[in-house]
Structures are given as structure tokens and as C-alpha cells.
Amino acid sequence: MSEEKFSPPFLHFTVKGGTNVRVKGKILTSIAMAALGLSLITEGTVAYFNDKEPVTNMFSTGVLDLGINKETIFQIDDIVPDDSMTGNFKLTNDGSVDMKEVKLHSSYEVIDNGEQNQGDDLGKHIRVEFVRMVNGKQSVVFQKTLSELKGQPQQVLKEIPVGSSAKDCMIRITFSNNGKDQSHFQGDQLKLTWEFEAIQRDGKPVRR
């Protein structure tokens, strides 16, 4: 069977069975225009009104500031076994953040000027007693030797809110007499460094 050819505006295609069918080009044109119209309608549905309002936010961090009314609590010469000394001071919350607690960090260095100590640590012979003064009464927080305090932070205060009154503290130091010969400590010096560390309050939801 020969194949018949048609010129535009007709489109030719063969249907099963060998029958030739002619379709006018204007029908296809109508279909194309309808598809284009459907596309425009579909794209048009994504249009919407829009409005934007900027919001500015600002955060500032609090200040944790522990105050102490003395730079040096003890500076004493020529002590001997059984001597004791007392130092008074105040701790305050000078910042804008409540304090959960205050810890004492202690370190020291022994300068062996006289007879060799032969490994005997002078810090083992110095006893420290930390006392809180509350309503005129003494409350002992801890009693330890300097060697026991070294590298072992001790809690000395709890909860110092912003704006609260100063906390009165007292430290009593004693050069213990162990009943044995302690002459090898004569002429020695002990450089003691204390650092009070304030810890912030626990985190919480903040509302304004």
C-alpha cells in the first residue's frame, strides 16, 4: 500500500489496520491554546498579598562581680607554734547576677630559709578555720590544714543575691604545736594565695 502525503494545514498519521486519517491543523491549534490557558491559570494561583514587618531584638549579658573589702588578710612575722591569728573581711555581690555560691581556692609556697625541712611540709602544721558571722554569732564553715586545702576548693558561702548586704567572714589561722621538735621551720616563710570564686545562679526562663 502506498502512503499518501498531505500538505498543511492537515496532519497525517496511520491508525492500526492501515486506514489513513487526516486531522485538521486548527484542532491541534485549539488544543495548544487550551493548554497554554491552563498553564496561565495554574501559574496565576501562586500570587498572594504580602506584608513584612522588621523586629529588632537585643540581648545583654549580666555581670558577675564578687567584691572583697581587703587585698591582704594576713601579713604577720615571727610566729611560733601555738600562735593563732584572726582576720576579718566582707564579701559582697557587686554585679547584676545572683550568685549561687562562693568557693575558696587555696595554694601556697614554702620558702625554706633555715634548717632543711627534709620533706616536712609547713602547710601541714598550719590550721585554717573559716567562720561566718551571722547575727553576731559564729558559724564554722570548715577546719582544715593548708595542705588539705591545697587544690581542694571549699564552699564558703551560698546564695548571694544582687543587692543583698555584705557577708561578714572571719578566718582564724593557728600554727599547730604537734608536741615534737619543729625547730627546722625557724626562719621559713610561707606565701599563701587565696582566691574567692563566685558561681552564677542556675539558668532559668527569663520573661520581660
Side-chain angles (χ1 to χ4, degrees), residues 132-181:
R132 280 275 289 114
M133 304 297 295
V134 181
N135 298 324
K137 296 182 179 180
Q138 296 185 5
S139 175
V140 178
V141 178
F142 66 78
Q143 285 182 322
K144 293 180 180 294
T145 65
L146 282 180
S147 63
E148 291 172 333
L149 289 174
K150 191 173 186 178
Q152 299 294 325
Q154 301 292 310
Q155 184 189 71
V156 295
L157 288 176
K158 294 181 180 179
E159 298 178 357
I160 311 182
V162 174
S164 60
S165 59
K167 308 304 178 184
D168 294 318
C169 303
M170 182 180 75
I171 293 181
R172 183 180 296 114
I173 290 183
T174 302
F175 186 180
S176 300
N177 186 340
N178 64 0
K180 300 178 181 179
D181 186 4

Side-chain angles (χ1 to χ4, degrees), residues 30-182:
S30 299
I31 294 174
M33 292 181 66
L36 177 61
L38 180 60
S39 174
L40 291 174
I41 293 173
T42 303
E43 292 180 0
T45 59
V46 301
Y48 55 87
F49 291 137
N50 184 37
D51 184 29
K52 296 181 179 180
E53 291 293 338
V55 176
T56 300
N57 301 286
M58 181 174 291
F59 301 89
S60 62
T61 58
V63 177
L64 194 66
D65 185 6
L66 177 66
I68 185 169
N69 66 334
K70 291 184 178 180
E71 293 184 1
T72 301
I73 300 176
F74 295 103
Q75 188 169 351
I76 301 174
D77 298 323
D78 300 326
I79 65 172
V80 297
D82 277 335
D83 278 355
S84 63
M85 55 228 77
T86 301
N88 296 280
F89 58 96
K90 298 178 183 291
L91 294 175
T92 54
N93 185 344
D94 297 338
S96 62
V97 176
D98 292 340
M99 296 175 181
K100 177 181 179 180
E101 62 178 339
V102 176
K103 294 183 177 181
L104 172 63
H105 297 259
S106 182
S107 62
Y108 63 90
E109 176 188 2
V110 176
I111 303 173
D112 191 356
N113 291 321
E115 182 182 341
Q116 293 298 306
N117 295 338
Q118 301 297 329
D120 193 4
D121 183 2
L122 179 58
K124 293 180 179 179
H125 298 259
I126 306 296
R127 188 174 72 249
V128 178
E129 185 178 11
F130 194 99
V131 180
R132 280 275 289 114
M133 304 297 295
V134 181
N135 298 324
K137 296 182 179 180
Q138 296 185 5
S139 175
V140 178
V141 178
F142 66 78
Q143 285 182 322
K144 293 180 180 294
T145 65
L146 282 180
S147 63
E148 291 172 333
L149 289 174
K150 191 173 186 178
Q152 299 294 325
Q154 301 292 310
Q155 184 189 71
V156 295
L157 288 176
K158 294 181 180 179
E159 298 178 357
I160 311 182
V162 174
S164 60
S165 59
K167 308 304 178 184
D168 294 318
C169 303
M170 182 180 75
I171 293 181
R172 183 180 296 114
I173 290 183
T174 302
F175 186 180
S176 300
N177 186 340
N178 64 0
K180 300 178 181 179
D181 186 4
Q182 295 171 291

Side-chain angles (χ1 to χ4, degrees), residues 180-199:
K180 300 178 181 179
D181 186 4
Q182 295 171 291
S183 298
H184 50 282
F185 291 130
Q186 292 185 58
D188 289 354
Q189 292 178 308
L190 188 145
K191 183 179 180 181
L192 175 61
T193 301
W194 279 335
E195 183 178 73
F196 292 91
E197 178 191 16
I199 309 297

